[in-house]
Structure formats: C-alpha cells, structure tokens
Amino acid sequence: MTDDPTVRWELANSLGIQIDNAADAWHSGHVTEILDLVADDLLVVATQTGGVWSVDPNYGGAHPLSDTWDDPDISCLAFGPDGTVHLFAGSSGQLPTSPTRSISTIRETDVGTAAPLANWNPIDAQLPSGAGSITRIAVLPRARRIVVACNKLLTDDSGGIFWSIIPESSLGPAPPPRPPYLWHKARVRGGPNDGFYDVTFATLTDGTPLSSVEVLDQVTVVAGAMSQGIYVGQWNAVGDLVLQPVQQTSSTNPNITVLSTAGACSVAACAVHPNRAYAACAASDGTLLQILRSGDGGRVWEACPFTLAGSTVFGGIQSAAGDQGNAWNNRIAVAPDIFSVVAFGWQSAGPFLSTDAGQNWIQVTDPVHLHSDLHALLFTRLRGSVDLMLCVGSDGGVASINVDQFLKGGGPEARSNFNHNLPTLQLYSNLIRQFYGSIAAAPLQQRLVAAGAQDHGNLCNNLALGSTSPTTGLPEPQPWTHVDYGDGGWVAFITDGALLHNINSGPIAATVINPPLGPQDFGVVAVGGTPPDPKGIAGATGEIVTHPSYRNTTGDLLLAVAGVGNIVYGLYTDHTLWPPPPLSILGTFPMRHYWNVLATLPVGVVAGAFASFDGVSVFVGTWNDGRMFQVDSAQGTVVELPVVLPQPSPGNPMTGGSVIRIVAFSDAVLFAILDGASAKLNPAVTANYILQLDSANARWVPTPGAGLPNEPLFGLETVEVPRSRVPHALFVCTDDQVYISRDDGQTWQGASLNLPSRPHCGDLRFCVGPNGGVLYLGTFGRSMWQAPIVSLP
C-alpha cells in the first residue's frame, strides 16, 4: 500500500525529560542493555520498545539504529567475536505472529560493510519457533560460541538455553557463502518449567580472561532461571551442553532459603577473573531473596551478607531494594578487571555497590540523575577517563556513576545527560499497554501538548517556545517537563485552557500550563454536592466535549465527561468564573471546576470511551462487552444503541469486544473503534472494526474499512482543515501504521511516511492552528510525532 504523500511525520520533540537544568539532568524511556564501544567513543543502548540507539557519552547525542526493524522490543545486546563493532541484538518476541508461540529475533551487525552499526541483519537461522522470549545473549569470542537464554512468554513456548557455533563472518569484496547457524538446546536436569532469565560464561579456575578462552573443558555456562534458582553446566565429550542445579554451601543454614524457592536470578562473571561469579535472586514476591558469589565458575555458591552501610533497618539491602525483581528489575554486574567490585540494581532508585566481594554494601543514591526500576548495569572506563564508571539503565534511560569518585567520598558524581536527545518515551493509549493513558493538544495555546508516560507521570511540552535556531531559523525543541509523577494516565486540555490529568488509579486533577508563571496547580477536581467531595473521582477514563455549549440548570458549562465503572460524570466550570481571565494572572485565580454525576449505566458494564460534540448528548462505549449508550445530559437518561456486527455463520454473530475511542465530526456524525469482537466458532474468529453512528436508525454499524488490516486499533481522530490537502478525514493507527480515510471509513490508505517501521503507535490527537493544524501521534517507545496539516494559499 502506498502512503498518502500529503501526510508526513516528524518527531514532535527529539529531547528527553529535563529533570534539573542546572545539573544537566535528563530522563528518558526504559533501557534494557548498555554496551560501551570504547574505540568509537559510543554507548550502544537497547530499549524495551524503542529499538537500539548509539549514544555519544560526551555530548548526549543519540542516533536510532533500528528504524527499519519490525521488532524493536530489544531485551539484550552482546559483543560478537569479529571486531569491536560486531554486535548481537535479541528481541523479546513481545509481538508474536502466533497467539500461542513466541517468535523472537536475533540480529547482528554486518562487519563486512563500511558502517556495521547502521547495518544489522537477522541471522540466517533463527531460534526454533516457540523457543520463547529472548532474555539474554552471552558470547565466548575465541571459541565462537553464542548462548541464548529464553523464558516462556506464551503457552506453547518451551523456554530454555540454546547455543550455536558462530559462523565465520564473510568479508572482502567477493566473500564466500557464510555457513549457517546450527542451534542446539541444552539439556537441563531438573530444569524450571518457565525458562531462563539470564546467562553468562565463567571458568573453573582463574588465569585466563574470557576473551582469550579457546578450550571448552574449563568453561562453564551459568544460567539464572525464571524460578528454582541457578544452573551450571559444560559441553560434554559428545558436544552436548548439559546444565544442572548448583550447590549452595549455606543451604544447610536454616536461616538461608535454598535456591529452589527462588524467582528470577540474574548472573554475571568477571571478564578478567572469570572463575568469580555473582548472582542476584528474587523471592517469589519479587523482593530480594539472596545475593550469591562463587569462586569456582558457578558450581558452588555462598550467600553474601545483607549488610548495608548506614542502615539500621533489619535486612539491610533486602529491605532497601524494593520489589518487582521477577523479570522486571533485577540485574547484577562485576567490574571487568576487579572481581571484588560488584553492583546490583533492583526497584530502588540507585544501585547497590560492594568493593569487598559482597561482604558489605553501599547504595548509590542521587535523586536528580538516577531513576527507579533498574534493568541494566555496565562497569566500564569511558574514553578519556581512568576512573571506573558504572552505567545504569532504568525506566529513566541511561545514567553513569563515577565509582572511584564516589568511593573517595566526593558524592555519587552521577550523569544523566545521555538522555538529552534520546526520544524513547513510552506514551500510553486507550488500548492498554501496561496502563491506560492518552496524549492531548491544547486548543488555546499553540503547540502545547501533554502525554501520559510509563513511570514518568504526565508530561507537558510547549513545542512553540524554543529559542530560534541560528541554522534553520525555526524554534529549537524544548524538553519535556513533569506535571505529576508516577505512571501517567489520562490527559486532556479542556476549552478553558486547563489540563485534566491523573496518574494510574489516582483522582483527576486540574492544572494550567502557564508559560510566564509555570504550571498553576488547582489540585484534585472535587465532586459537586453539599458538601462537595474533595477526593474527586479516582481511576477514571474520560474525554473532552469538543465544542461545548450545554449548560446545566445553574448555568455552568459542561467541558468534559469521564467514567468509573458504570457511573458517568460531567465536568462543569463555574459560570460565575467564566470566561477565565488571561493566563498571565491565573496564579491567583480560584478553582473553577467540579464533577457531577450525569448518568448511571446498567450494572456490570465498564464505561471506557466517551464522546460529546456539544455536551447535549454524551456517547459512551464499554470496555468489557462492546456496548454503546447515549446519555441525555439534561435529563440523565440512558439509551442503549445496538451495535450491529456481521455474522460469520448463520446464528453466530460477532459480539463483545472493547470500545476504545469515539470521535465526532458533528453531533450526528460519529465514529468509534471496537477491538476484539468475536464469534463462538472453532477456530475462534476475532475482528476489529471502525464503527459509524447510524443516527437515522439509532444504531452503530461497521464501516466497510477497505484497506484496513484486521489488527488491534489504538488511536482514532477526526481532521477537518478547509483549503488544505486534508479537508475532511479520519485517521486511525495500528501498532505499526497510521491510516487515513477521506470517505468516512469506506476506504483506507497508509499515512505513515517517515515513521519507523514499528513505532508502537498509540493515541492520535488533532489541534487546529492559525495555518491549518497539527496531528499528533503518541508512541510506546518512540515519544511523540507530529504531522502538520497546512492550509493552502
């Protein structure tokens, strides 16, 4: 399908979140792995849903390396054996083509090209279908062995440890054909049912660094399971890799829990002294169970103390680490040339560091640069520095800690400006990825946008406020800034200029983003009544009234609607405080919004999508059963409008599903997304629809939808810009594409020019401007994108 040439996307903002201007502190999205290309003075950074990036550790510049990849959910990176830019990347397989069996991908850089980092190819023979989700890759360079850990993601996955000899890279002007990868599955005695979380190489004795090991009889493979502890093994005489549960010397101590009860375990070995290995093991509830060390390549382990410097709390590091260590947080690392220096990261913001092989621990804390939920750790010496650095990957992006400076008592000496130009924010949408959320564009302040973000609360950005670039003459991008903290949620600019926002499960609050004075926080919006309820409404989903005109009996204007369960609320503005004063004096202006119950839907339904063109009627779609209702705002009456779907076979209609979004061109021309309708057939049939209101017959019916794939639909928006190339259109997006319909859903054409191959599209919002308008796209891993819709002369 050819993309519509009139819709061209560009990053709305290439910057991360500015935490502290004076400290040059920045945060970004979820990082899963960090490698240091010392010779090239680059970090290579893998992100959970935003692909792989090269990051300049000196200036914070970032460049995407995976825009053409269809699977940018990268769980791990590893160096290959053929030079400093031979790298492997493993995808997590979170987007399976089969509903029951994972298909993960391993890519490697093409070292035969002039720019290997810009040329990654899927290896010629992938892991067996259903191997599971790739969690870690380990490479033994001289012996050319690659070992991959996989966990069970879907029901038919096997999980396990897989290995292959790495074929010689084909180099030169006319390279010979490269032999294929030949994958073998390790035999695991008493192995876990849910696969493995981590894997590394170690050696039985000290003396040879891992980079120089050629003989396999001294090499061990140490694997951390998703449950039941740690496994260690070797290649036997016939070439099979065989692993078995490790011994734990302290398991006879009744105060130590044996590893058979463990959750996910991360493992690491010292590169120069590879007989020295460490592990961090979670308990079944995600808290820290044990930190372990081994001096014989992982065969026998002993528990490290929980002693935490400066802590009087029972359990020390165990109490301070937090939870979520079962495959979300939980990473351990060893300094490459000093086996006694080890660090592990958990939920708590800041890693734990030991310089005496785990006997005593210090937590490195820095509330400005370091973010919670730690997923990656790397000890390195960045180019130009002799100091030992610890790079940290978290839900806040990349940070580094000068270990030598920290140990001298000079503070953590942390940096986070790696995230300055790392646009990998995970923005939420109505079709849930992790949590519900949205993006928003302000109708009164040109180019002011907001977004609900994973682990960064709700963010705002005035895209028109940047200083003028001396090169282009255009506004420079401004950083994202916080409105609140936590996991973001619903954001919406109502027509009086206020931003409604809530974090996950929290109450809806109102804030005015006022550039001269900064954000003016009016706090939680109360529910009206006598007396009013100051707690507001928590865990709500909502939508603005597009062109508000309906007033209640006291003359207050209805500006937004929201729902919790089967209760529908309306947000009103006090007419005695309307119209609002100029933004410049809002700092002393009193709270002017309140909620009132509009209607109660039938028991058992969950209201999730809303639309109202003028406030007179409110349309409500349900998340749990695909039903549609119309609410009369004045009377509070509710009428169900049937959703009439096709019948795949006689007597078996499509039913149910989730109404994700409703949009309106007018009070009678409305469209909606219905995801996941199904029919009771064998095999099961599921479908996703764009619905249209048939107002003459008071029902909702599917549009023909020619050209639109039968995939989950995330965002939907109306666009009308007279005297433009988009005078009247619907936009919708799947996970990987944006589509446009100029005939009200009859036919669809791609509208994804300049987007990455799979941006994980989310919410779509349009804002009219003086020269047309701008369509915004939130993505789950690639921040926010924009497509200007320009009026013609």
Side-chain angles (χ1 to χ4, degrees):
M1 178 186 294
T2 303
D3 282 306
D4 188 312
T6 65
V7 181
R8 294 179 177 271
W9 295 95
E10 60 188 16
L11 262 176
N13 193 291
S14 62
L15 302 181
I17 308 165
Q18 189 172 62
I19 305 302
D20 187 300
N21 182 38
D24 198 19
W26 299 76
H27 289 170
S28 189
H30 182 141
V31 166
T32 55
E33 186 80 278
I34 307 167
L35 296 183
D36 180 13
L37 274 62
V38 177
D40 296 281
D41 206 11
L42 289 174
L43 297 178
V44 178
V45 175
T47 64
Q48 186 195 30
T49 54
V52 179
W53 295 73
S54 64
V55 175
D56 185 329
N58 298 306
Y59 306 106
H63 181 73
L65 303 178
S66 53
D67 275 358
T68 61
W69 301 8
D70 191 49
D71 48 357
D73 304 339
I74 308 303
S75 55
C76 52
L77 299 169
F79 282 110
D82 297 327
T84 59
V85 288
H86 186 200
L87 275 65
F88 291 95
S91 74
S92 63
Q94 292 181 354
L95 299 168
T97 56
S98 163
T100 62
R101 177 170 291 191
S102 298
I103 301 177
S104 301
T105 305
I106 300 174
R107 279 182 165 82
E108 64 179 324
T109 53
D110 187 346
V111 295
T113 62
L117 288 181
N119 293 277
W120 297 70
N121 299 318
I123 62 174
D124 56 9
Q126 293 292 330
L127 294 175
S129 176
S133 176
I134 297 173
T135 55
R136 199 71 161 175
I137 295 174
V139 173
L140 194 62
R142 294 292 290 273
R144 302 191 69 87
R145 300 286 172 118
I146 179 172
V147 176
V148 181
C150 296
N151 74 352
K152 289 191 65 170
L153 182 65
L154 300 176
T155 54
D156 289 344
D157 290 344
S158 66
I161 300 293
F162 299 84
W163 68 274
S164 173
I165 295 174
I166 301 171
E168 295 284 346
S169 295
S170 297
L171 306 174
R178 192 183 187 196
Y181 283 80
L182 296 175
W183 291 101
H184 311 269
K185 187 175 183 180
R187 301 199 332 247
V188 184
R189 295 170 180 167
N193 296 322
D194 46 2
F196 287 85
Y197 178 65
D198 203 356
V199 67
T200 192
F201 287 105
T203 56
L204 298 176
T205 59
D206 198 2
T208 305
L210 279 174
S211 59
S212 301
V213 170
E214 293 182 276
V215 180
L216 292 177
D217 61 3
Q218 289 296 304
V219 174
T220 57
V221 174
V222 181
M226 293 295 298
S227 63
Q228 303 178 42
I230 302 170
Y231 293 76
V232 65
Q234 292 183 276
W235 280 273
N236 62 21
V238 296
D240 292 331
L241 178 58
V242 181
L243 287 83
Q244 58 188 3
V246 303
Q247 298 179 48
Q248 186 182 8
T249 57
S250 56
S251 62
T252 56
N253 184 332
N255 296 318
I256 299 295
T257 304
V258 296
L259 284 175
S260 61
T261 66
C265 295
S266 59
V267 293
C270 180
V272 175
H273 304 280
N275 62 312
R276 303 285 187 154
Y278 294 86
C281 295
S284 59
D285 62 358
T287 58
L288 178 63
L289 176 68
Q290 288 178 306
I291 300 294
L292 302 163
R293 62 186 169 215
S294 171
D296 64 354
R299 293 183 299 178
V300 178
W301 297 76
E302 63 176 322
C304 298
F306 284 154
T307 307
L308 178 62
S311 174
T312 58
V313 177
F314 177 77
I317 57 172
Q318 189 179 40
S319 300
D323 57 9
Q324 299 180 348
N326 274 329
W328 181 252
N329 308 306
N330 187 345
R331 191 58 65 198
I332 197 161
V334 192
D337 52 353
I338 312 173
F339 69 80
S340 60
V341 175
V342 59
F344 79 92
W346 218 261
Q347 181 188 33
S348 182
F352 297 85
L353 178 69
S354 174
T355 60
D356 56 8
Q359 284 295 114
N360 296 279
W361 297 92
I362 309 169
Q363 186 173 14
V364 185
T365 58
D366 185 323
V368 174
H369 294 282
L370 299 178
H371 193 280
S372 59
D373 293 341
L374 307 188
H375 314 293
L377 295 174
L378 172 70
F379 282 103
T380 185
R381 287 179 170 82
L382 298 178
R383 189 174 181 182
S385 173
V386 296
D387 288 348
L388 183 64
M389 310 296 291
L390 178 61
C391 293
V392 181
S394 70
D395 277 0
V398 182
S400 71
I401 299 161
N402 187 316
V403 175
D404 288 338
Q405 186 68 32
F406 173 70
L407 295 176
K408 292 174 184 175
E413 289 293 315
R415 284 178 51 203
S416 58
N417 61 356
F418 306 92
N419 304 302
H420 183 278
N421 286 98
L422 191 58
T424 55
L425 297 174
Q426 296 174 314
L427 306 183
Y428 289 137
S429 57
N430 293 14
L431 182 55
I432 292 175
R433 295 186 183 97
Q434 195 177 71
F435 296 116
Y436 163 88
S438 69
I439 66 172
L444 298 184
Q445 291 175 259
Q446 189 66 17
R447 307 296 310 285
L448 178 64
V449 295
Q454 189 273 334
D455 214 23
H456 289 292
N458 297 300
L459 306 171
C460 66
N461 198 308
N462 196 316
L463 301 172
L465 278 186
S467 57
T468 301
S469 165
T471 305
T472 65
L474 299 173
E476 294 278 13
Q478 290 292 288
W480 292 92
T481 57
H482 283 281
V483 177
D484 50 20
Y485 294 86
D487 275 301
W490 178 46
V491 290
F493 287 101
I494 50 181
T495 52
D496 69 354
L499 174 67
L500 303 178
H501 56 97
N502 69 336
I503 60 172
N504 178 41
S505 300
I508 296 172
T511 299
V512 171
I513 311 301
N514 183 10
L517 300 177
Q520 307 298 299
D521 184 6
F522 292 113
V524 172
V525 179
V527 178
T530 306
D533 182 357
K535 298 190 299 297
I537 54 175
T541 60
E543 194 55 69
I544 66 168
V545 177
T546 313
H547 296 85
S549 64
Y550 169 74
R551 295 180 183 272
N552 62 15
T553 55
T554 61
D556 296 340
L557 193 65
L558 179 65
L559 297 181
V561 293
V564 179
N566 68 329
I567 308 299
V568 180
Y569 295 85
L571 181 134
Y572 294 90
T573 183
D574 187 335
H575 73 282
T576 64
L577 303 175
W578 183 270
L583 290 174
S584 59
I585 64 171
L586 275 173
T588 58
F589 199 65
M591 182 67 178
R592 59 183 186 271
H593 307 111
Y594 64 92
W595 295 103
N596 267 349
V597 174
L598 280 181
T600 300
L601 303 182
V603 173
V605 305
V606 179
F610 309 84
S612 183
F613 186 77
D614 53 16
V616 176
S617 291
V618 175
F619 294 87
V620 183
T622 67
W623 271 353
N624 60 327
D625 55 8
R627 296 163 71 183
M628 285 286 204
F629 299 89
Q630 184 174 0
V631 174
D632 183 303
S633 298
Q635 302 299 322
T637 55
V638 177
V639 176
E640 182 167 4
L641 305 180
V643 178
V644 182
L645 300 178
Q647 295 191 41
S649 68
N652 285 298
M654 304 295 290
T655 60
S658 298
V659 181
I660 299 301
R661 176 112 155 92
I662 310 172
V663 297
F665 282 111
S666 70
D667 57 0
V669 182
L670 292 93
F671 297 85
I673 291 174
L674 175 63
D675 276 337
S678 62
K680 296 179 179 179
L681 298 174
N682 189 15
V685 174
T686 60
N688 310 286
Y689 299 102
I690 300 294
L691 304 177
Q692 181 174 13
L693 175 66
D694 177 2
S695 56
N697 296 294
R699 63 179 187 171
W700 288 84
V701 296
T703 61
L708 198 64
N710 185 26
E711 297 177 11
L713 304 171
F714 286 81
L716 180 67
E717 184 60 298
T718 59
V719 172
E720 286 189 298
V721 182
R723 296 186 305 104
S724 81
R725 291 187 173 88
V726 189
H728 176 93
L730 277 172
F731 285 84
V732 71
C733 59
T734 60
D735 187 72
D736 65 333
Q737 295 283 324
V738 179
Y739 297 87
I740 182 174
S741 174
R742 299 175 183 272
D743 53 14
D744 288 343
Q746 300 293 308
T747 60
W748 295 87
Q749 181 180 6
S752 302
L753 282 179
N754 300 332
L755 285 175
S757 180
R758 186 171 293 275
H760 293 315
C761 300
D763 201 11
L764 284 164
R765 301 285 162 156
F766 178 70
C767 186
V768 175
N771 299 313
V774 180
L775 180 63
Y776 295 99
L777 169 68
T779 72
F780 194 69
R782 293 300 300 268
S783 296
M784 186 180 288
W785 293 68
Q786 62 185 13
I789 310 296
V790 181
S791 298
L792 299 174

